[in-house]
Amino acid sequence: MANQRPGLPLFLALLGTTAMLTAQAPDYAGISVSSTGVSPLNNRVSSYPPCGTPFTCTPMTLTGQAGDSVSFFVMGTMNGVCVLLGSIDTTPNCIPLGIPGLVNNLVWLPGPGLITLFVGVCTVPDNGRCNGGATPTTQLFQIPAGLTGSIGLQAIANAPLSGGGTGLAFSNAVQLNF
């Protein structure tokens, strides 16, 4: 969580520079978050399979323990841009932003509590799981001893749109409790 820039302005700036690429699952951006080390290796939540899991404003929940490493990867179109947003306010909302070329809703409230955690490109083949690309699995942070609370995570990735063409899609959200 070293990058503490506000998430929404960066996302809006990236909206105009998104690569248009061909892919398979309309309106779909995938996310996978794991919390492992003290917790078992299978302590993971994912919005896949199957590719194209319907969007919901109800976050997937994951419980981590002190000492766990929290890692993620995002799925989108191959060589498409992606952004991971984090929020310290984990009250789920369902905010349609009404921006052309952007589908699904922002689950976490925009504002100073919403920060950009990662900006990258889906450069790793997704092994046929979805739209062709994924980010490498990336460690986000380690849960410190004595800290309790939660963090909300949600990705935005380049994806084919059901209305035609390619744009950006919000992934399902994750609420990590620790």
Side-chain angles (χ1 to χ4, degrees):
M1 294 189 354
N3 185 348
Q4 298 292 314
R5 297 175 298 196
L8 196 55
L10 178 59
F11 159 70
L12 293 174
L14 286 172
L15 181 64
T17 62
T18 309
M20 297 297 192
L21 300 171
T22 304
Q24 300 167 347
D27 299 347
Y28 178 77
I31 187 170
S32 179
V33 180
S34 63
S35 182
T36 58
V38 177
S39 297
L41 289 176
N42 64 352
N43 193 29
R44 171 183 306 270
V45 294
S46 302
S47 62
Y48 79 92
C51 175
T53 301
F55 179 80
T56 176
C57 287
T58 302
M60 299 177 289
T61 57
L62 177 66
T63 300
Q65 300 181 48
D68 275 355
S69 292
V70 177
S71 300
F72 74 95
F73 70 88
V74 175
M75 291 173 42
T77 57
M78 187 64 165
N79 296 317
V81 69
C82 65
V83 177
L84 180 68
L85 301 174
S87 178
I88 55 174
D89 180 355
T90 56
T91 304
N93 292 274
C94 200
I95 305 165
L97 296 181
I99 299 171
L102 172 65
V103 296
N104 302 333
N105 295 331
L106 179 62
V107 173
W108 312 115
L109 285 176
L114 185 67
I115 56 176
T116 303
L117 300 173
F118 174 86
V119 177
V121 178
C122 296
T123 58
V124 177
D126 71 0
N127 300 322
R129 288 182 283 207
C130 194
N131 292 336
T135 62
T137 298
T138 303
Q139 184 174 330
L140 193 55
F141 63 93
Q142 188 172 34
I143 300 172
L147 183 66
T148 59
S150 63
I151 184 171
L153 302 169
Q154 188 173 16
I156 307 162
N158 190 256
L161 303 181
S162 56
T166 305
L168 293 173
F170 280 111
S171 71
N172 287 315
V174 174
Q175 180 176 331
L176 171 65
N177 301 307
F178 46 89

